[in-house]
Amino acid sequence: MKRLLQILSAYFKTKRMAGWTSREKLEVWQEKKLNQQLKYIKKRSPYFQRVLEGVESLSIKDLPKLPVMDKEVMMEHFDELNTVNIHKTEAFEIALKAEDTRDFSPMIGSITVGLSSGTSGNRGLFLVSEEERNMWAGTILAKLLPDGLKSKERIAFFLRANSNLYGSVTSNRISFAFFDLLDDLDVHVKRLNDSNPTILAAPPSMMRMLAEKKAEGILRISPKKIITMAEVLDPLDETMIEAAFGHRVHQVYQCTEGFLAATCSRGTLHLNEDIVIIEKEFLDEDRFSPIITDFTRKTQPIIRYKLNDILTLKKGGCSCGSPMTAIAQIEGRCDDIFYFKNKNDVVVPVFPDFIRRSVITASASIREYKVIQAADRVLEVQLAAEGDGIEEIVRKNLEDFFLRIELEVPDIRFTPYTPNQKLQKLKRIERKVDK
Ligand SMILES: [Zn+2]
């Protein structure tokens, strides 16, 4: 009962705030929530007791006075940062064991332990309480259900790993089926045909494979909402998914650090500024990396946590009237910004979107591609396309681009397209230069 109340409370709060149109009202509210959060964590987290010493109240404008944290800081101070006295060694042990056995419900008491992806030695640990899980469920339902709580929905959710976080979204009206990305595509298709979901949520790479099955007539479902998450949605995949399912692709931008953005009814991504404050660290005029302050996470406070992602502001905002920042796209990770020299021998960044556009505008018959910066002066291009001369057009587009922005034209090499391994995140633009 308590669980349902917490879910519904978050649901209705999110719905109520979705009607707000004033940015000023939103910021006044954010500031109030921020100070409540700081007061709470100052009492319970030894780490924040130190950080917030002498801080009585803080305006959003003064938020930058607090230190920035990232995964390293979070892991270094894990034990004294969380408010429930959980130790890193214990949390790691239980999370790794759960992963080995693919038993996805590692818990310490009522706290779920999550492991973020990353190379070994660089993985993050996340702690979420039952109340936070329920709030998450209520918020995500409010933002994503196409018809609110009025109609029954069957949600098919594709994940790398199940967790209690997702299990919390199941009731009489909402049924939720978990699909393990490790399973075979044929198994997915059969299960989907049998269960006939009304909402389909998957990473773009999986959604793309399902779209192909749908186009072939083998996958026979007609969900009313298509949602992608967990990978960059490439315009190439977006177009094909939309064509196959006959619906616009909605997006959820979420990571272990928080639920950060979701698309509105018009398909525009808006930052979830009703649960997080997002400072923008600008990379150029429109692009920024988010620094997030979550005022709902009480177990493991996220205060000025810097993410390594590139987000692009949507010019002109969104016509839906929401005061929450509109985003044109999540472009990729900062690690995947390419770097090349200009004629003055200065190294400059090249953002993934420029490379992406140079490739996909070359021909409508490009089915798959990857572009990898393999060395300081080498671009490796992988293409899967029907037709002749496409490589030459791609080469010319890329060369023209480099000449236009006055960069040294790199050595462009074509290699066969290598499909992704299971569980590997699809990255169509990737920098793989030894540092
Ligand atoms: Zn909108």
Side-chain angles (χ1 to χ4, degrees):
M1 197 58 199
K2 191 171 137 208
R3 202 188 114 200
L4 186 64
L5 279 177
Q6 284 171 346
I7 294 178
L8 287 178
S9 148
Y11 176 88
F12 287 112
K13 198 184 84 198
T14 306
K15 278 291 187 195
R16 203 165 53 241
M17 290 190 71
W20 288 12
T21 52
S22 156
R23 179 79 199 178
E24 200 192 339
K25 187 175 170 188
L26 176 67
E27 286 180 4
V28 167
W29 187 82
Q30 282 188 324
E31 200 162 292
K32 190 179 109 194
K33 299 301 282 183
L34 170 69
N35 282 291
Q36 285 172 355
Q37 173 75 346
L38 295 182
K39 201 171 153 197
Y40 181 92
I41 62 175
K42 197 175 168 182
K43 268 194 210 137
R44 292 165 180 85
S45 155
Y47 174 82
F48 280 106
Q49 219 154 52
R50 267 202 320 276
V51 167
L52 296 169
E53 209 191 323
V55 178
E56 284 314 318
S57 75
L58 203 65
S59 65
I60 294 181
K61 179 167 65 50
D62 286 336
L63 196 52
K65 287 181 180 164
L66 301 183
V68 169
M69 60 196 279
D70 55 15
K71 195 189 271 179
E72 225 166 273
V73 173
M74 170 89 96
M75 292 312 289
E76 192 188 330
H77 301 283
F78 185 90
D79 292 4
E80 47 168 10
L81 199 144
N82 75 72
T83 61
V84 287
N85 197 24
I86 287 180
H87 294 275
K88 185 161 74 176
T89 38
E90 185 193 3
F92 252 126
E93 225 166 80
I94 188 167
L96 287 170
K97 194 170 153 240
E99 193 154 270
D100 279 350
T101 55
R102 291 187 78 70
D103 157 24
F104 300 114
S105 21
M107 296 192 61
I108 299 176
S110 63
I111 307 291
T112 303
V113 183
L115 206 50
S116 74
S117 53
T119 49
S120 58
N122 186 30
R123 303 188 69 176
L125 271 175
F126 288 85
L127 303 175
V128 184
S129 73
E130 200 179 340
E131 184 180 357
E132 286 163 334
R133 279 203 307 274
N134 295 338
M135 281 174 63
W136 173 85
T139 309
I140 203 161
L141 289 176
K143 291 197 185 251
L144 294 178
L145 288 184
D147 305 308
L149 294 174
K150 286 193 271 309
S151 65
K152 287 195 173 185
E153 306 291 356
R154 292 178 303 279
I155 306 172
F157 216 137
F158 285 75
L159 290 166
R160 193 185 74 88
N162 194 3
S163 89
N164 289 314
L165 202 61
Y166 300 100
S168 48
V169 200
T170 300
S171 75
N172 301 338
R173 293 194 163 272
I174 314 294
S175 79
F176 160 89
F178 159 64
F179 289 72
D180 190 333
L181 286 171
L182 259 185
D183 287 342
D184 284 339
L185 187 57
D186 295 343
V187 175
H188 293 321
V189 169
K190 185 176 182 316
R191 261 188 83 196
L192 287 170
N193 281 336
D194 290 346
S195 60
N196 194 22
T198 56
I199 299 175
L200 185 59
S205 53
M206 172 54 71
M207 197 65 90
R208 170 71 194 274
M209 289 191 266
L210 295 174
E212 282 166 14
K213 293 289 173 192
K214 168 84 178 159
E216 289 165 23
I218 297 166
L219 181 65
R220 296 183 301 274
I221 59 172
S222 297
K224 58 182 171 185
K225 191 157 184 174
I226 301 288
I227 303 163
T228 65
M229 74 277 174
E231 287 170 357
V232 169
L233 176 63
D234 194 282
L236 179 77
D237 299 311
E238 187 178 11
T239 310
M240 295 196 179
I241 294 165
E242 287 184 351
F245 287 103
H247 287 296
R248 161 191 288 156
V249 177
H250 282 266
Q251 286 186 72
V252 167
Y253 173 37
Q254 182 186 248
C255 47
T256 27
E257 290 85 354
F259 176 25
L260 304 179
T263 41
C264 67
S265 56
R266 312 207 171 171
T268 302
L269 271 168
H270 289 272
L271 297 178
N272 290 335
E273 288 167 310
D274 48 352
I275 42 177
V276 285
I277 294 170
I278 300 194
E279 296 169 69
K280 304 176 186 78
E281 190 174 84
F282 279 96
L283 306 167
D284 70 4
E285 208 176 297
D286 306 311
R287 292 179 171 83
F288 66 94
S289 285
I291 300 174
I292 59 179
T293 297
D294 192 316
F295 40 77
T296 61
R297 295 275 290 264
K298 301 252 187 283
T299 311
Q300 188 181 32
I302 304 277
I303 304 288
R304 303 204 73 224
Y305 191 105
K306 187 176 173 339
L307 284 179
N308 194 16
D309 292 341
I310 314 164
L311 273 55
T312 318
L313 285 174
K314 187 174 164 78
K315 286 196 180 82
C318 177
S319 55
C320 74
S322 168
M324 297 183 219
T325 308
I327 296 298
Q329 64 169 339
I330 296 148
E331 194 171 333
R333 304 278 291 172
C334 294
D335 302 337
D336 292 315
I337 298 173
F338 291 176
Y339 290 93
F340 290 100
K341 280 184 180 170
N342 68 12
K343 58 184 178 186
N344 300 323
D345 226 26
V346 178
V347 175
V348 298
V350 174
F351 292 103
D353 200 49
F354 295 116
I355 302 295
R356 187 173 286 143
R357 302 277 162 194
S358 299
V359 176
I360 60 180
T361 55
S363 164
S365 63
I366 295 174
R367 286 183 290 108
E368 305 270 10
Y369 78 92
K370 282 181 193 170
V371 183
I372 296 158
Q373 181 175 12
D376 284 337
R377 302 180 55 178
V378 179
L379 268 193
E380 184 188 318
V381 182
Q382 304 181 1
L383 285 183
E386 279 90 37
D388 297 325
I390 295 170
E391 281 187 7
E392 287 322 301
I393 306 171
V394 170
R395 180 188 296 281
K396 178 148 193 327
N397 278 1
L398 285 167
E399 284 173 355
D400 287 350
F401 165 73
F402 281 97
L403 290 171
R404 195 163 62 242
I405 59 165
E406 302 184 326
L407 293 186
E408 208 174 65
V409 176
D411 178 8
I412 300 170
R413 297 171 187 169
F414 287 87
T415 55
Y417 182 79
T418 40
N420 258 39
Q421 301 292 316
K422 265 186 196 172
L423 292 196
Q424 190 185 21
K425 281 194 179 188
L426 173 63
K427 277 187 171 188
R428 296 208 182 274
I429 308 289
E430 188 169 14
R431 182 175 149 91
K432 281 189 186 168
V433 180
D434 295 333
K435 277 150 201 151

